[in-house]
Amino acid sequence: QVRVVESGGGLVQPGGALTLSCAASAFNLDDYAIGWFRQAPGKERVGVSCMRTSHGTTYYRESVKGRFIIFRDDGKNIVYLQMNNLKPEDTGVYYCAADPWLWADKLCQVKDYRSLEVWGQGALVTVSS
């Protein structure tokens, strides 16, 4: 059964850093686009950063460019989201998702996130002083 499991959420002060992990099982990341979505309280789920490792392509939401980095651990089926200079508006539940039929940008910009093949349970990130 294909699945992804997130880890690494927590409470961090503004300006701090946090790294999320997404471990994929029963499928090869070389065959999928994978990325991170955020759902803030009372708001829609939005794509934050996505990648398609087989093509070396990445996508970042405008608000996180220059602060977040998505990368894969070489040889492992794990994708990370390194979040630097965190702001209170980065608060939310971060979900990892993957789909074999989309490019990185299309994954992050998908209109109906429920159409994606694989979703994790989410990791809560709270940025607060």
Side-chain angles (χ1 to χ4, degrees):
Q1 180 182 0
V2 295
R3 67 174 189 154
V4 291
V5 177
E6 304 96 334
S7 61
L11 172 64
V12 61
Q13 292 187 339
L18 205 62
T19 299
L20 302 177
S21 302
C22 173
S25 60
F27 68 97
N28 191 330
L29 284 178
D30 290 337
D31 301 324
Y32 281 66
I34 189 163
W36 293 92
F37 291 72
R38 177 180 67 219
Q39 188 157 20
K43 295 190 176 181
E44 294 184 348
R45 194 173 300 191
V46 296
V48 174
S49 183
C50 298
M51 68 186 309
R52 183 107 194 183
T53 58
S54 59
H55 293 81
T57 54
T58 57
Y59 169 91
Y60 293 94
R61 189 173 188 81
E62 192 64 35
S63 62
V64 307
K65 284 182 180 178
R67 300 189 297 123
F68 289 13
I69 302 171
I70 187 170
F71 64 98
R72 177 182 174 183
D73 195 334
D74 287 345
K76 295 184 180 179
N77 245 16
I78 302 175
V79 170
Y80 300 90
L81 183 67
Q82 180 180 328
M83 304 183 291
N84 302 312
N85 189 22
L86 282 160
K87 304 176 180 180
E89 52 264 40
D90 295 320
T91 294
V93 178
Y94 283 71
Y95 297 90
C96 181
D99 195 278
W101 302 109
L102 299 173
W103 300 108
D105 57 341
K106 298 303 182 187
L107 177 68
C108 261
Q109 295 170 342
V110 70
K111 295 192 185 308
D112 183 2
Y113 65 85
R114 290 162 291 190
S115 66
L116 302 180
E117 182 173 305
V118 190
W119 277 100
Q121 293 301 305
L124 177 62
V125 173
T126 303
V127 184
S128 175
S129 55

